[in-house]
Amino acid sequence: MPIQTALDGMCRYFGGDYDPTTRTYRSSPVTGVGVVRRAWPSNDPHEDYFLGMDPGARTGSVIVIWIPRQHEYRRAMGGEHSGVKQIVYETIGEVYLRSRTAFAEDTQDDMYALRDALVERIRLDRTLGGSVFQAGEHISESGGDGIDFEYSKPVTKAGLTKGFFSMRFAAVEFAEA
């Protein structure tokens, strides 16, 4: 499977249907996600953070899913001339938040709630909608170690609080060797 196919499938799993006009996935099944992208935009429309949410939603997000590293190796099955290639995509979801809350603490709570919703989505289907063989599982020899999160502190300026966190996991695919 080409890397673009795996990436598109993961973006669809977290972001919904693809819109070729905006190059975004715009109907996320995850509460709190406005738009999912597979690259950083040249412009960053504020309305994308709240797409599909109730008008009073206090916090929204845009997620950029990308694969910065890929590792492949052969797994022998039934002898030296039979086997499969195990392809491990190091996958990162960069989650950008914008919040209309009066307090950064509320944005932080919303960030943790979104983190929980993303983990729940991964646990719902380890194939991420059939886009890969498995994702978010421990793969020691390939560097994958479950699902890992790293958070920034929210910052409020001019009545808008912004936050950021990254979600990292290994997505595995197998190909005939």
Side-chain angles (χ1 to χ4, degrees):
M1 162 188 319
I3 191 170
Q4 296 94 335
T5 303
L7 181 58
D8 176 68
M10 288 186 271
C11 287
R12 287 179 188 275
Y13 188 70
F14 290 104
D17 294 329
Y18 180 69
D19 175 24
T21 304
T22 61
R23 305 288 197 274
T24 60
Y25 302 81
R26 302 182 73 77
S27 56
S28 179
V30 181
T31 301
V33 176
V35 167
V36 171
R37 296 180 167 275
R38 61 177 186 256
W40 283 265
S42 56
N43 64 357
D44 190 24
H46 179 74
E47 59 272 9
D48 278 357
Y49 288 78
F50 296 92
L51 185 72
M53 296 180 205
D54 292 333
R58 68 184 195 174
T59 302
S61 69
V62 168
I63 301 176
V64 178
I65 297 177
W66 64 300
I67 300 171
R69 182 176 178 271
Q70 175 182 339
H71 178 76
E72 179 177 312
Y73 59 94
R74 185 175 176 280
R75 285 195 173 269
M77 307 280 201
E80 67 180 280
H81 300 292
S82 178
V84 295
K85 292 283 188 174
Q86 181 171 333
I87 305 158
V88 180
Y89 301 114
E90 180 182 312
T91 306
I92 300 175
E94 305 282 12
V95 183
Y96 301 90
L97 295 111
R98 289 194 180 166
S99 183
R100 302 174 181 128
T101 62
F103 300 97
E105 293 86 351
D106 295 334
T107 303
Q108 183 171 296
D109 290 343
D110 292 348
M111 178 175 61
Y112 292 144
L114 178 55
R115 175 259 176 222
D116 291 344
L118 290 168
V119 169
E120 184 178 319
R121 181 78 177 150
I122 292 172
R123 289 177 182 161
L124 182 65
D125 179 0
R126 72 174 191 205
T127 72
L128 304 182
S131 61
V132 293
F133 175 76
Q134 71 179 20
E137 304 291 324
H138 177 75
I139 308 162
S140 62
E141 66 271 14
S142 303
D145 196 21
I147 308 166
D148 187 44
F149 289 88
E150 189 171 335
Y151 308 95
S152 73
K153 61 181 180 179
V155 176
T156 303
K157 184 178 179 182
L160 182 68
T161 302
K162 294 182 178 181
F164 169 82
F165 67 92
S166 63
M167 167 180 69
R168 182 182 305 256
F169 59 86
V172 177
E173 188 56 53
F174 290 97
E176 292 298 317

